[in-house]
Each structure stands twice: as C-alpha cells, then as structure tokens.
Amino acid sequence: PTTDEDKRAHEEILHIWEVIDSTLLKCYLKINDALVGPLLRLKDNCCHLVECERVLQNAEKYDELVQLYQNKENHRKALDLLLRHGQKSTGSLRGHEPTIRYLQHLGPKRLELIFEYSKWILRAKPEDGLRIFTDDIPEVESLPRDKVLAHLETVAKSLVIQYLEHIIVYCEDTNPVFHNRLITLYREKIESLLLEHSEDATESSEADHTPAGSEPGELGRYRQRLLTFLDQSQHYQAAKLIVHFPIGKLFEERALLLGRMNRHEQALAIYTHVLKDTKQAEEYCRKNYNRTSEHSKDVYLCLLRMYLQPPQASSLGVSSDTIPQPNVTAALEVLMEHYEHIDTAKALELLPAGIPIIEIHQFLCQVLSKQTVRRRNQQMLKSLLLSELLEVQQQRIAVQSHHSVITQETSCGVCKKRINQSAFARYPDGTVEHYYCYQKKNPSS
C-alpha cells in the first residue's frame, strides 16, 4: 500500500482475514480439534492473537497455544508457558524436552532469549540442556560459539569441556582460543583429581611415577585425553600454555608442549632423565624429525646429547638428591639405530674421549658404508647428468644448423603478401608465414 486509502483497504482485508481464521479456529475446536494444530502451523494464518489465546486457554489446548505464540513470534510468552508446564508431572508439555526443542529453533537473532530460558534446564538436567547448543540442527550450528561458551562457563561449568570437545572434534573448529581453553580445563581438572588422589601426587617423584594416562579412574581418562589432544591438535598456542605447566609436574604434558615449541632438548631431557623412558624418547624423535627443518633436523643429535651430557636436576624439576647420570649405552644404541639421521662429525664430538673404539666400530662401519653408497650414487648421477647435457648440446647444434633466408621476394604462405620486416613463423619444411597469420590459423597455439 502506498496511499492512505490503500493502507486502509489493506487493513480492512487483514481484519477480515483475522475474523475468518479466528472463526475457523473456534469451529475446529467445536467440530474437530485435531485440525487446530495444522491451521496454526500455517505461516500465513491470520488468527487474532488475543482472541485465539483466550479461546485456546479456555479449551486447555496448550500445545496449540505454544504454536500460536511461535507463529506470531511471541516467543517469551511461549517459553513462559513451557516453563510453567515443564515443572508439572502431567500434561503434554511436562518436562524439559518441549522447551529444548523450542529453543533449538530460535536461532542466533534470539540468543539472549535462548540463554535466559536454558538456565533452568542446564541446572536441572545438564546433559540434556547441553543439546540446546550441540544438536545437529542448522539454527543450533549457527549460534556464536564464543558467546555460548561464556554462557556455559557462567551457568553450567561442568559442561564446558563437553561443549569444547563437541565443537573441536565434531564441528572441526580451528579457533586457537577454543583449543587453548580446552587444554586449560583439562589441566585444571587433572590437578584437582591429583590433589584428591594423593597429597604428594603433584610433587615430582621418580620412584613412584605412574605413566600418564594409566592412572586408575577419572584421573587416567582425563590425562589420556589431554595427552592425545596435545599430540594431535595443530591449533593451540603452546607458548601461551607452557607457563601453566611449570617444571616439576605433568611431565609428559610439558614435554609435548616443549616439542611443539621446537625446544627439543628440554623435552628429551624429560623423557630421558625424569621419565627414564628410552622408547618414548625415540618415538618423540621419530615424530619430530624433519631433515629439511632447521629446528628439527638435529633432534636425534639432541637425544644423543641428553644421554651423554645430562642437564642439572634443578632444570628438570626433580629432587636435587637425584643427579642425572650419563647413559653411554643408550647413546650408543641411538648411534647404531639412527646413524642416518645424525651428523657424524657432531656425534663424534659428543662422545667421551675415553670410549673404546670397539664400542663405536659398528657405527663407524655403517657410516662409512653409507658414505660409500652415497658417493657411488652421486658419481652415477653425475655421469647421467653429463650424458644428458651432451645429448641436449647435440640437439641444440642440430637445431641451430637449420636457417631460413628471408628476401624481398619471400611471401607468406597464407596471405601471399611479402614477409619483409614482419615477425614470421617457420615450419619444419621451410615454409614461412606471417606470425599474425599463423596465430589466426592456430588460435590455440
């Protein structure tokens, strides 16, 4: 409607529709109340809100009343009704499920309403309440995750870990803030469980150290989840997190963070002298070794150094009574098994001066054998490259031996005009054409 008269006519039509739909609803209630729901679910129904609200309340048709409110976008009234009936033990709207379904379809535009009416469910039935923010529904997936996280932190902190796991694992969210927060919550939970488990559990102790993740009960499960996440996630910020994993506790977790920061010597010091786990130390090297990376090409050499030149006990977070000792046997095993990944000259510099030559005889033989094979391969490659170079030079000489003489009489094979000073194309049989004519004839070339 553009004019006042058009507006009045439009309002009159809407009023007529309201009367018709409202009357139809009343008739359905009298004749066949099963038709009331389908009528109210029509997006363009014109039922009068106040009149139909009164009629439905009198008839105790609360499901249909919720539908009326929803269709008219009077969501607060609908949610208030659901809240009142949700506390009851009878009726079709009893319990929290109707409210959950309603909230799941409101979408991000009504976020404050979702937060307000989700509180009673999150407090009464936390696991079910979390579905308001995690079910596979378009409106749910479009909710701003940072705001949902803040809401859960305030109302139901016990659900925050589950929510973060959902958006990271199932929704594949790569936001570093979420990854950092999940690691922090894992750590806080583990530290709390450690205090419950034993008064001395958070103190450094080598004698009674239990491998992380193998502890009984909830503590073991959470440590395993944290270790797996630290190993697999590529989106957390280790430099920001390391300050919350101080020296002296959570050694395995700290080692993974140090490794992500390319502080390999510190990480390997934990594996070799705190955990005393040579297999885990070699597995760490296997995962982090990268011949082309400046930070990771000497990771096996770092392991060798940790065995031969152990750091001070204070830097490891262990008791000062326990002095880390060199482990020459483990160092020699590393040399034997991973000689291909170790700089031979640097390795020999690290070895003790008094070590018997027989101890490193096998290592030197393997290195010399490797060098011999490498030299032979390089000589062979050099010969092949030289042969290829000679072949290419012969081809170049053959190509350069062909020439074309362009005179004032030489004409284009296409347009028959003289070539003169124009650019031209030459075919193997000696025929020449203007380059323009050649391109016109061969547009794809």
Side-chain angles (χ1 to χ4, degrees):
T2 53
T3 65
D4 292 341
E5 185 176 345
D6 289 340
K7 289 179 181 178
R8 285 195 298 272
H10 183 69
E11 289 173 359
E12 288 177 4
I13 293 172
L14 286 178
H15 177 68
I16 293 171
W17 286 351
E18 281 185 350
V19 172
I20 293 172
D21 283 354
S22 299
T23 304
L24 189 58
L25 183 142
K26 294 175 184 178
C27 292
Y28 284 161
L29 283 173
K30 295 290 186 181
I31 301 170
N32 185 357
D33 58 6
L35 298 174
V36 175
L39 171 64
L40 292 173
R41 281 192 289 273
L42 293 173
K43 290 294 182 183
D44 57 350
N45 84 76
C46 295
C47 292
H48 189 271
L49 177 59
V50 177
E51 178 63 20
C52 293
E53 179 185 30
R54 180 185 61 79
V55 172
L56 291 170
Q57 283 178 341
N58 291 337
E60 297 184 352
K61 293 293 184 180
Y62 298 114
D63 290 83
E64 290 79 2
L65 184 55
V66 169
Q67 189 66 54
L68 174 68
Y69 288 145
Q70 187 176 26
N71 196 281
K72 300 299 181 182
E73 297 192 355
N74 202 327
H75 301 297
R76 185 172 292 278
K77 275 194 171 185
L79 290 165
D80 282 335
L81 179 64
L82 288 168
L83 175 57
R84 289 197 303 273
H85 285 265
Q87 311 296 332
K88 298 180 180 180
S89 58
T90 58
S92 59
L93 299 181
R94 68 183 182 278
H96 53 274
E97 283 296 333
T99 304
I100 290 175
R101 289 193 296 270
Y102 195 99
L103 292 173
Q104 285 177 330
H105 291 89
L106 288 180
K109 290 183 179 179
R110 301 177 182 88
L111 192 62
E112 293 303 319
L113 210 56
I114 296 173
F115 288 166
E116 181 181 346
Y117 286 90
S118 66
K119 290 179 182 178
W120 74 273
I121 304 175
L122 289 169
R123 288 167 181 156
K125 296 287 184 180
E127 296 292 331
D128 290 339
L130 185 60
R131 289 171 36 221
I132 298 170
F133 308 104
T134 58
D135 273 1
D136 189 15
I137 298 172
E139 292 88 348
V140 171
E141 292 178 351
S142 64
L143 296 177
R145 291 167 183 166
D146 55 338
K147 293 182 179 179
V148 171
L149 178 62
H151 174 64
L152 292 174
E153 292 264 17
T154 305
V155 180
K157 195 165 183 178
S158 62
L159 297 174
V160 174
I161 289 179
Q162 286 179 255
Y163 178 70
L164 287 170
E165 288 175 339
H166 172 80
I167 63 175
I168 290 171
V169 177
Y170 295 102
C171 302
E172 300 182 349
D173 197 306
T174 59
N175 188 335
V177 173
F178 297 144
H179 288 247
N180 289 354
R181 184 61 183 146
L182 182 56
I183 291 170
T184 300
L185 289 171
Y186 278 150
R187 177 186 57 79
E188 291 174 352
K189 181 69 174 178
I190 290 166
E191 289 178 343
S192 172
L193 291 169
L194 283 171
L195 287 173
E196 295 175 9
H197 187 258
S198 170
E199 291 182 358
D200 302 322
T202 56
E203 298 178 4
S204 60
S205 174
E206 296 177 84
D208 60 351
H209 179 77
T210 303
S214 63
E215 300 92 342
E218 202 175 18
L219 175 59
R221 290 195 296 272
Y222 271 99
R223 289 202 76 176
Q224 188 59 52
R225 283 154 77 177
L226 175 56
L227 288 168
T228 301
F229 190 72
L230 287 171
D231 184 48
Q232 295 180 355
S233 171
Q234 301 298 317
H235 305 291
Y236 62 84
Q237 297 161 310
K240 289 185 177 181
L241 294 165
I242 192 70
V243 295
H244 302 294
F245 288 80
I247 294 173
K249 58 181 181 179
L250 300 180
F251 293 110
E252 289 91 338
E253 293 84 348
R254 181 173 171 80
L256 287 172
L257 287 169
L258 289 168
R260 189 60 60 89
M261 297 167 65
N262 294 315
R263 289 159 60 175
H264 301 302
E265 285 197 2
Q266 291 175 270
L268 288 168
I270 292 173
Y271 288 122
T272 54
H273 296 293
V274 178
L275 305 178
K276 298 186 182 301
D277 191 333
T278 56
K279 288 184 178 179
Q280 209 168 352
E282 290 189 37
E283 179 63 16
Y284 173 91
C285 292
R286 187 190 66 78
K287 287 183 177 180
N288 288 276
Y289 176 75
N290 185 346
R291 187 186 296 274
T292 61
S293 170
E294 192 65 30
H295 298 294
S296 302
K297 66 180 182 180
D298 288 330
V299 66
Y300 282 100
L301 190 67
C302 291
L303 177 59
L304 190 66
R305 185 179 292 111
M306 284 303 101
Y307 282 135
L308 297 173
Q309 300 174 0
Q312 297 294 321
S314 57
S315 67
L316 298 174
V318 296
S319 171
S320 57
D321 297 332
T322 305
I323 301 175
Q325 299 295 323
N327 190 341
V328 178
T329 303
L332 292 175
E333 288 178 0
V334 171
L335 279 177
M336 300 302 179
E337 293 181 21
H338 306 287
Y339 67 91
E340 292 183 344
H341 305 138
I342 298 175
D343 186 303
T344 305
K346 292 180 181 178
L348 292 175
E349 288 178 4
L350 290 174
L351 290 173
I355 190 169
I357 193 68
I358 191 65
E359 297 286 346
I360 59 173
H361 175 264
Q362 185 180 350
F363 163 67
L364 293 174
C365 288
Q366 288 176 327
V367 170
L368 290 173
S369 175
K370 181 185 71 171
Q371 294 295 340
T372 301
V373 171
R374 181 180 297 174
R375 183 180 179 185
R376 186 184 301 115
N377 290 340
Q378 288 177 343
Q379 288 176 337
M380 187 180 298
L381 179 62
K382 180 181 177 181
S383 300
L384 290 172
L385 290 173
L386 179 60
S387 175
E388 185 178 1
L389 174 63
L390 292 174
E391 184 179 348
V392 170
Q393 286 180 337
Q394 288 178 348
Q395 291 176 354
R396 176 180 59 81
I397 292 170
V399 170
Q400 289 178 341
S401 66
H402 297 288
H403 63 278
S404 295
V405 178
I406 305 298
T407 66
Q408 291 184 348
E409 303 301 324
T410 305
S411 60
C412 172
V414 177
C415 67
K416 306 306 180 184
K417 295 180 181 178
R418 293 179 180 178
I419 298 293
N420 291 330
Q421 300 296 321
S422 303
F424 64 90
R426 178 186 180 278
Y427 289 94
D429 63 357
T431 306
V432 294
E433 296 175 356
H434 285 115
Y435 188 65
Y436 170 78
C437 297
Y438 170 78
Q439 283 190 314
K440 190 174 181 181
K441 189 170 68 173
N442 305 280
S444 60
S445 62

